[in-house]
Amino acid sequence: MSRAPAPPRPALLLLAYLAFVSLGLPDGLIGVGWPSIRRDLGVPTEAVGVVLTAGTVAYLTSSVLAGFTLARLGVGWLLAGSTLLAGVALTGYASTPALAVMVGFALVLGLGSGAIDAGLNAYAAGAFGPGT
């Protein structure tokens, strides 16, 4: 016989909402901001591929490692740390002096975003259970 999931704790629920927002914020950044970023950094248009590839590789790596991380840290610490990583990366995007630095921040953003996505899914599954 299965038990009903425990009601979500308000602090963890708030953290999940903040993590969700930090997951969605950077999605439109590169597309809208790239013409200005490209001009400021003095790089060709196709350099965006390097930034997107770095972010994607880090996102996939983080997603694969999320189960291991969840087991050791728990969902609250995973979401808090990952949201912090995303915030640091977005701040870095805003102040980056060179493409190589932006690629580094894309890696950080990908690591944070992959863990946020997996952590939110784990939290929702555990807190709310299967839908009907």
Side-chain angles (χ1 to χ4, degrees), residues 24-104:
L25 276 176
D27 288 346
L29 171 71
I30 294 296
V32 173
W34 186 251
S36 296
I37 295 168
R38 180 197 68 73
R39 189 176 51 253
D40 290 348
L41 299 181
V43 297
T45 302
E46 58 271 11
V48 72
V50 177
V51 175
L52 293 173
T53 300
T56 300
V57 167
Y59 182 96
L60 292 172
T61 302
S62 181
S63 295
V64 167
L65 297 175
F68 174 82
T69 308
L70 274 168
R72 274 135 190 89
L73 298 179
V75 71
W77 284 107
L78 175 72
L79 290 176
S82 299
T83 302
L84 179 65
L85 281 178
V88 166
L90 292 174
T91 302
Y93 271 9
S95 62
T96 188
L99 180 64
V101 176
M102 188 166 193
V103 169

